[in-house]
Amino acid sequence: EKAGFKHFMAKEIAEQPAVLGDAINHYVKKDGLDLPEGIDFAGLDRLTLVACGTAYYACAVAKYWFENLARLPCEIDVASEFRYREPPMPAKSWAIFVSQSGETADTLAALRYCNEKVEKTLAVVNVPTSSMAREADLALPIHAGVEVGVASTKAFTCQLLSLAVLALKAGVDRGHITETQLAAHLEGLRALPGLMNTALGTADEIAGLAEKLAEAQDILFLGRGPLYPLAMEGALKLKEISYIHAEGYASGELKHGPIALIERTVPVIVFAPHDRLFDKTVSNMQEVMARHGKVLLVSDARGLREASEGTWATLKMPEVAEPFAPILYALPAQLLAYYTAVAKGTDVDQPRNLAKSVTVE
Ligand code: M6R
């Protein structure tokens, strides 16, 4: 069942180009987006996205998309906080619940709360027969296929894809994306499986770096814009399976505290495609290097040309359409966690203390 791979997680990481391609084919047709009836974001005042764990980080990326591509005010929350805070919900709002299993207790409770309060609830799930799919007004399957590894990988990138498609639809509905712009964004999405294949080509290099990372006590992840949630996801993945303490920060937050942690033994992994915020991230990275932090810069050819000097290591990603960079950069984040765990000899598919689906609080 592992198809020759040592772990389900390795198989599920490697599957992503094919799986994402399949998910794209479900929602992106030659002449545009193909979504279930009843999804129209035109008159909304606000969108709320609720989830737990990795699914929450997918929501945190999507917030950038809904705000930038559709100018739709967007709140995100972890389900365990949302459900007990019982926040007021504007009548003209929708709420989206993101969950691989569709059974996570807190997310399901948040969905039930919103079913009474908002115009429409939408479940973005991998299991189409799940409680959330049944109880939400609308269900959108992410088409990732069965995910066995406790550490979520292909479900994360497929959650991102589904949310990207929804954000594009919102942009069109709200008049912020023209037909020409939509066509360009869809090209950007269609290019992803090929780019992911290229990214998977860094696996051996990452395995080499992981030997060193496995010796660390603490590892920091940095990113800006939509790469900030990816930094948090990278840290979650790493701590989950390698048991190394890791934190994801917005690059700009570094000098507000975490920079005090920097010393020779602390690796700092920076996700920084050459986007409009690149120079800002580089200056944060230089602050780390000035304090002898070991920087691993993950960027594209242009970014590496401009900013490799003084880093401990670099990883080259192909160029990617700017908004969708987190979908591609998820792969090195997953591979770094995977190979570090393998180097430490942990139980990658069944990490201690964790369950695949958290159906009790
Ligand atoms: O099934 P769900 O997507 O609702 O699960 C949410 C989290 O429990 C899950 O993403 C968890 O954080 C993963 N183990 C992360 O790899």
Side-chain angles (χ1 to χ4, degrees), residues 103-240:
E103 303 295 345
T104 299
D106 285 324
T107 312
L108 184 58
L111 164 63
R112 287 177 177 156
Y113 173 78
C114 285
N115 271 340
E116 312 287 308
K117 301 265 181 315
V118 302
E119 213 173 79
K120 202 167 266 184
T121 55
L122 186 55
V124 174
V125 291
N126 196 30
V127 182
T129 52
S130 60
S131 307
M132 283 181 223
R134 272 182 281 118
E135 294 192 29
D137 295 322
L138 272 168
L140 199 72
I142 62 167
H143 299 290
V146 176
E147 190 181 66
V148 178
V150 164
S152 187
T153 52
K154 61 176 181 168
F156 177 64
T157 44
C158 287
Q159 284 162 350
L160 287 176
L161 191 266
S162 308
L163 292 167
V165 165
L166 288 173
L168 291 174
K169 177 71 168 66
V172 171
D173 292 343
R174 299 169 69 81
H176 290 285
I177 294 182
T178 64
E179 251 176 60
T180 328
Q181 288 167 332
L182 178 65
H185 286 308
L186 297 183
E187 263 323 294
L189 289 180
R190 284 198 201 92
L192 282 167
L195 301 179
M196 283 179 151
N197 262 320
T198 309
L200 289 175
T202 59
D204 288 346
E205 230 177 308
I206 291 181
L209 298 173
E211 299 284 335
K212 283 267 162 279
L213 294 175
E215 293 164 10
Q217 300 277 322
D218 306 279
I219 299 184
L220 295 184
F221 287 78
L222 299 180
R224 260 181 199 268
L227 277 307
Y228 160 42
L230 190 76
M232 294 192 282
E233 165 62 6
L236 174 66
K237 213 96 296 175
L238 187 81
K239 60 191 137 187
E240 209 175 10

Side-chain angles (χ1 to χ4, degrees), residues 34-64:
D34 186 11
L35 283 164
E37 286 289 289
I39 299 184
D40 188 335
F41 294 91
L44 296 188
D45 292 334
R46 195 221 270 170
L47 182 66
T48 302
L49 300 171
V50 182
C52 300
T54 284
Y56 170 71
Y57 294 132
C59 296
V61 170
K63 177 180 169 75
Y64 289 83

Side-chain angles (χ1 to χ4, degrees), residues 9 151 236-243 337-338 341 346-348 351:
M9 185 181 178
L236 174 66
K237 213 96 296 175
L238 187 81
K239 60 191 137 187
E240 209 175 10
I241 58 170
S242 76
Y243 315 144
Y338 175 73
T346 59
D347 187 348
V348 171

